[in-house]
Amino acid sequence: MARTARSILHCNQPAIGREWGTAMAVGVKKYNPGFLTDDEIVASFCVRTGEFESLLECLRASTGQSNAHALVIGPRGSGKTHLLLRVAAEVRRDASLAGFYPIVFAEESYEISTIGEFWLECLGRLTEQAPDDERADLRLSYDDLRSTGNDRDLADRCLGSVLDFADRHEKRVVLLVENLNMLFSDMVDPDAGWRLRHTLQTEPRIVLLGSATSRFEEIDHPDHALYDLFRVVTLRPLDTDVCAALWRAVSGETTATRTVRPLQILTGGNPRLLAIIARFGAGQSFEELMDNLLDLVDDHTEYFKSHLETLPALERRVYLALARLWKPSTAREIADLARLDTNKCSALLKRLEGRGAVTAEGGTPRRRQYYLTERLYNIYYLLRRGGGSDQVVKALIDFMVCLYSPVVMWDVFMQTSEQFHGSDILPPRTTSYFANAALGEAEELAEAGHVDEALEFYDGTIRRLDADDEPGAETWAAQALLGKMLLLSGSNRSHEAMAVCDDMVRRFETRRDTISVTAVVIALNHRGLALIGEGEASKAIDLADQALAHLERIATLYNDVEQAQAFLVKGWALMVDGWNEDAAAAFDEVVHRYASTEQPDLAGLASTVLVFKETILHITIGESEAATLLKCVAQKNELDVGTMRALLQFSVRVGAKRALGIIQASPAVPLLQPLVTALRQELGEATHVAREVDEVAGDVRRELVQISIDVPEGTFTVPVPLEVTNPSGAPAER
């Protein structure tokens, strides 16, 4: 959230929500690699390399009187199309494969219902993909054969034309056919499978490389035609390392494995979904990407809606019931929610499984559990449905941000300080229209990234207000200086920002109007933070005391948030100087004053203070303080990195059973579902939760083990930046 002077000084204005990232136009190439050129296919192919080599091995083994046919099985978006097209591109590029000619079928061949129509489609695709000088004759043959009424004649004549082409070029034809499972489910000819099998087993000039969204009866049962005909290549979900490689290839950025892990969980290791996120997330920090991830899902509505639009009504009903459950569920559970007979629901689930929309995994042989194959669709549906389910998803995302973010306590503190919104005061009504418009323009320029232009606006506004005798002009000048300081600070121009802080204090420290006092206190607090970073903790203590004195001297202008920040700055500075007991007292002052507040900002400060005591001062949080921390988390309705680490360390110290009891007795449970699940699993309890929650819980359990190994005494420490530590290790003189 952009922090501006007016957002700090005027918190009675509407709250600024999370802004959506730049929307990426939805293009067909994202969903259908068939629109890419061979060079683009090769350049973009970076995963499934083992499966690629396996398919090439099938071709190289097809040199005698029989061929090695292969079937790639994987759910929607797992990379089947890209893999087959990569094989086709390699056949056209690699001289060692010059004896093969690829014929690529369309991804959806809806017109095929007989074996004759299969070979007619094959001839039609060859007509489009043959050398230019042969297309006219092939087109004539194709148009002539389309009118053939007898299906056996149609099949024989179309196959004959394809084989004639193979003979002319002295090549074997490689058919790359998508969605064989759906193709055979739509066949009206009961002998189609046997007729195709006969051709593939007796005709050495034909090799078939197909794909399917799931296993199907034609290949699984010995009494069906295609049984044991194919070498099956199954596309498993991508692991974390391969997800990182795909991210690097698509976005051009190297991303830490810890950052990719939550994206792997949310996408289920689905290459297509991960590639979409990588294009969208290029240039964003991990926190920004996760913050905007929900927006990305919403931006791709047309992609996710396509899941439903192709489903018959009853299948759609079952699919949506499973989406609402958002966990592996039995047919009975799904049937109850969909208001269907269980047997009917089981049959519909079988169809959905055949389409690759639903995966059956877990449970028992008689009580199989199902879940949606594409996990991000489930998130999309819950977000669009609302009714509280969207908050459950957002809580999971926030938890993942905290769990997988790097732990740097200084960053946690600075992020907290940037969340202060200030008091509820308004500028005098007599202030000029010019100042309001000028500051608004400066803030818009800053938000658009035009820092220098925004600074020029601030400087011009300050000069004009300094020369203005109108009542309230000085108050607006204070606001303009504050805006300039915040912009400089946010642009990593800290020395210039501190110079503005000094100017604000010098100009307005004797004034008693609301905005000037608040601006001075904010400047003192920011100056104190900078001094801590520069190793001048003693001076920072003095500035914090000055800020507190300003607020205490003018009781009518009491600003709780700025006062709490001053205590926080003071405690941090005291800690750096080695005065841990005094630092703890300053921190306790914030907890004592604000832990029970109804203001989320102040509750957030109180929770930050408790985390500081835990991680920086090594003062163990007891059960009552843990309960207070959880109460603060619930009040601000948001989890942060420091709080996450403190709760994990607390859980290791007191044990899973006691930690679980304290968490479950708090109002923060909805924000901590993966931690609750992990603790329950540690106690041997069965958990029935969403796959995403279960996988995050598994990572939480590994984190708990690591904490117990690293710090067996239960004191989990976070390194303090070297520039803010006391090199001597001894308390400085006060």
Side-chain angles (χ1 to χ4, degrees):
M1 180 175 66
R3 188 174 185 233
T4 67
R6 293 197 291 184
S7 70
I8 290 174
L9 295 172
H10 308 160
C11 78
N12 64 324
Q13 299 292 325
I16 301 175
R18 292 179 174 179
E19 294 298 327
W20 291 73
T22 303
M24 182 172 58
V26 178
V28 71
K29 284 188 178 182
K30 290 182 203 145
Y31 313 141
N32 191 347
F35 287 84
L36 301 175
T37 65
D38 277 359
D39 288 342
E40 290 172 330
I41 287 288
V42 173
S44 60
F45 189 82
C46 59
V47 299
R48 307 297 191 195
T49 53
E51 294 87 344
F52 170 65
E53 292 298 333
S54 180
L55 294 179
L56 293 185
E57 182 183 333
C58 286
L59 294 182
R60 294 189 173 108
S62 301
T63 57
Q65 291 303 307
S66 63
N67 296 321
H69 309 287
L71 181 65
V72 179
I73 297 179
R76 180 176 177 176
S78 59
K80 301 184 299 298
T81 300
H82 206 164
L83 175 59
L84 292 181
L85 291 177
R86 178 65 182 89
V87 171
E90 190 68 11
V91 170
R92 289 188 282 262
R93 292 160 55 95
D94 188 346
S96 68
L97 298 172
F100 296 93
Y101 195 94
I103 301 177
V104 182
F105 279 53
E107 187 172 356
E108 290 91 11
S109 300
Y110 297 117
E111 300 86 356
I112 299 175
S113 61
T114 67
I115 196 64
E117 290 173 350
F118 175 87
W119 291 114
L120 179 65
E121 176 70 10
C122 180
L123 179 59
R125 303 304 296 179
L126 175 61
T127 299
E128 297 174 3
Q129 299 166 26
D132 292 344
D133 59 352
E134 295 189 53
R135 290 184 184 178
D137 289 341
L138 286 170
R139 170 61 63 183
L140 289 173
S141 297
Y142 174 76
D143 290 341
D144 177 57
L145 290 172
R146 287 183 63 208
S147 60
T148 303
N150 184 282
D151 193 69
R152 287 190 175 275
D153 287 345
L154 177 65
D156 291 343
R157 294 177 65 188
C158 289
L159 176 59
S161 294
V162 172
L163 294 178
D164 286 345
F165 175 88
D167 289 339
R168 286 197 302 274
H169 291 270
E170 298 182 345
K171 294 179 182 290
R172 295 173 187 243
V173 173
V174 183
L175 310 183
L176 297 110
V177 185
E178 294 266 30
N179 297 314
L180 274 181
N181 57 325
M182 295 180 65
L183 188 150
F184 274 91
S185 68
D186 294 335
M187 286 280 193
V188 297
D189 179 3
D191 294 328
W194 293 107
R195 293 168 64 188
L196 178 62
R197 183 186 185 98
H198 176 76
T199 300
L200 295 179
Q201 286 186 319
T202 61
E203 180 47 69
R205 289 168 289 181
I206 300 290
V207 182
L208 177 60
L209 302 182
S211 76
T213 53
S214 65
R215 300 191 68 91
F216 54 108
E217 289 188 353
E218 284 291 331
I219 66 170
D220 276 342
H221 294 282
D223 58 344
H224 282 64
L226 304 185
Y227 179 75
D228 205 28
L229 179 64
F230 297 104
R231 175 189 295 184
V232 174
V233 177
T234 302
L235 301 187
R236 306 295 181 187
L238 303 184
D239 63 27
T240 308
D241 290 338
V242 178
C243 284
L246 177 59
W247 181 277
R248 187 164 52 249
V250 175
S251 69
E253 299 175 345
T254 300
T255 303
T257 300
R258 189 179 182 92
T259 300
V260 172
R261 171 60 177 156
L263 302 176
Q264 176 201 8
I265 292 173
L266 292 173
T267 62
N270 183 296
R272 178 186 294 168
L273 295 177
L274 190 66
I276 290 173
I277 295 175
R279 292 188 188 98
F280 173 84
Q284 299 185 37
S285 69
F286 172 62
E287 290 78 7
E288 290 171 336
L289 173 60
M290 296 298 284
D291 198 33
N292 294 328
L293 183 60
L294 305 181
D295 305 336
L296 168 67
V297 171
D298 195 61
D299 270 357
H300 286 71
T301 293
E302 78 168 56
Y303 171 72
F304 293 111
K305 282 179 65 178
S306 66
H307 287 65
L308 294 180
E309 293 171 350
T310 59
L311 295 179
L314 282 179
E315 290 182 33
R316 185 182 308 142
R317 190 166 164 182
V318 171
Y319 188 83
L320 292 179
L322 186 53
R324 286 171 62 187
L325 287 166
W326 195 34
K327 60 185 178 183
S329 304
T330 65
R332 180 179 293 277
E333 291 174 314
I334 301 165
D336 288 344
L337 190 59
R339 300 176 64 248
L340 290 171
D341 174 76
T342 302
N343 291 332
K344 178 68 173 177
C345 185
S346 296
L348 293 169
L349 284 167
K350 189 68 175 176
R351 290 186 199 172
L352 288 168
E353 186 182 1
R355 295 177 185 273
V358 164
T359 299
E361 186 176 314
T364 65
R366 298 189 63 182
R367 290 173 55 86
R368 301 176 75 194
Q369 291 182 334
Y370 300 86
Y371 64 97
L372 297 193
T373 302
E374 287 206 38
R375 294 186 181 182
L376 267 187
Y377 176 83
N378 217 141
I379 289 176
Y380 158 81
Y381 175 75
L382 293 173
L383 288 173
R384 301 283 289 189
R385 187 170 185 272
S389 57
D390 55 334
Q391 296 305 313
V392 174
V393 172
K394 290 175 182 177
L396 173 64
I397 298 294
D398 288 341
F399 188 98
M400 295 172 79
V401 169
C402 295
L403 180 65
Y404 298 105
S405 291
V407 185
V408 181
M409 205 62 214
W410 176 260
D411 291 342
V412 173
F413 181 74
M414 292 302 292
Q415 289 168 9
T416 301
S417 72
E418 290 176 359
Q419 293 171 2
F420 301 140
H421 298 297
S423 66
D424 58 356
I425 53 180
L426 285 170
R429 293 184 179 276
T430 56
T431 23
S432 67
Y433 172 81
F434 154 75
N436 187 39
L439 291 183
E441 181 68 21
E443 290 171 7
E444 288 181 9
L445 286 168
E447 290 175 358
H450 304 300
V451 175
D452 291 335
E453 292 90 334
L455 291 172
E456 289 179 9
F457 255 90
Y458 279 126
D459 288 338
T461 303
I462 293 166
R463 286 193 299 271
R464 179 162 175 178
L465 290 169
D466 284 345
D468 195 341
D469 294 331
E470 180 183 350
E474 280 190 301
T475 301
W476 275 106
Q479 188 170 334
L481 281 164
L482 179 58
K484 180 181 178 181
M485 184 272 290
L486 294 173
L487 178 56
L488 289 167
S489 179
S491 303
N492 295 319
R493 296 164 66 169
S494 56
H495 290 296
E496 295 174 76
M498 292 309 102
V500 177
C501 284
D502 293 341
D503 188 25
M504 290 168 63
V505 174
R506 183 173 59 253
R507 293 175 61 166
F508 303 112
E509 65 179 342
T510 60
R511 291 181 61 85
R512 300 177 68 88
D513 65 272
T514 303
I515 288 183
S516 296
V517 171
T518 304
V520 167
V521 171
I522 292 172
L524 289 169
N525 285 334
H526 274 73
R527 190 72 175 100
L529 287 174
L531 287 171
I532 294 172
E534 294 167 4
E536 299 283 351
S538 297
K539 293 181 180 179
I541 296 170
D542 292 338
L543 291 185
D545 285 335
Q546 290 180 38
L548 291 168
H550 273 287
L551 293 169
E552 291 172 358
R553 186 175 67 247
I554 310 174
T556 57
L557 302 180
Y558 223 73
N559 187 323
D560 287 337
V561 178
E562 297 305 336
Q563 183 192 53
Q565 186 187 21
F567 275 119
L568 210 51
V569 172
K570 183 176 181 178
W572 178 273
L574 286 165
M575 181 275 300
V576 171
D577 252 5
W579 299 94
N580 287 0
E581 290 185 7
D582 292 341
F587 292 157
D588 286 342
E589 190 68 29
V590 179
V591 178
H592 174 72
R593 291 178 185 237
Y594 306 121
S596 298
T597 181
E598 295 183 359
Q599 298 184 45
D601 289 334
L602 292 172
L605 281 171
S607 64
T608 298
V609 162
L610 287 168
V611 171
F612 266 45
K613 289 182 63 177
E614 170 76 14
T615 57
I616 301 298
L617 295 179
H618 312 311
I619 298 175
T620 302
I621 290 180
E623 292 185 9
S624 62
E625 287 183 305
T628 299
L629 178 61
L630 290 165
K631 180 180 178 181
C632 292
V633 169
Q635 180 60 44
K636 67 177 181 177
N637 195 34
E638 186 177 15
L639 196 62
D640 58 64
V641 179
T643 300
M644 166 74 76
R645 309 311 298 186
L647 290 174
L648 293 177
Q649 189 275 339
F650 174 77
S651 299
V652 170
R653 184 187 309 119
V654 303
K657 184 175 182 178
R658 188 62 190 144
L660 180 62
I662 292 172
I663 293 172
Q664 289 185 319
S666 78
V669 171
L671 302 174
L672 300 169
Q673 282 302 315
L675 176 56
V676 170
T677 301
L679 294 174
R680 290 182 59 196
Q681 291 173 349
E682 284 290 310
L683 296 171
E685 298 180 17
T687 55
H688 194 195
V689 295
R691 290 275 175 166
E692 295 86 343
V693 174
D694 186 64
E695 290 193 28
V696 176
D699 289 346
V700 170
R701 295 179 69 185
R702 283 184 280 275
E703 199 78 17
L704 293 172
V705 171
Q706 191 60 49
I707 291 172
S708 65
I709 293 173
D710 290 345
V711 193
E713 302 84 3
T715 305
F716 177 60
T717 60
V718 181
V720 180
L722 293 177
E723 63 269 21
V724 299
T725 57
N726 185 350
S728 68
E733 291 188 8
R734 294 186 60 193

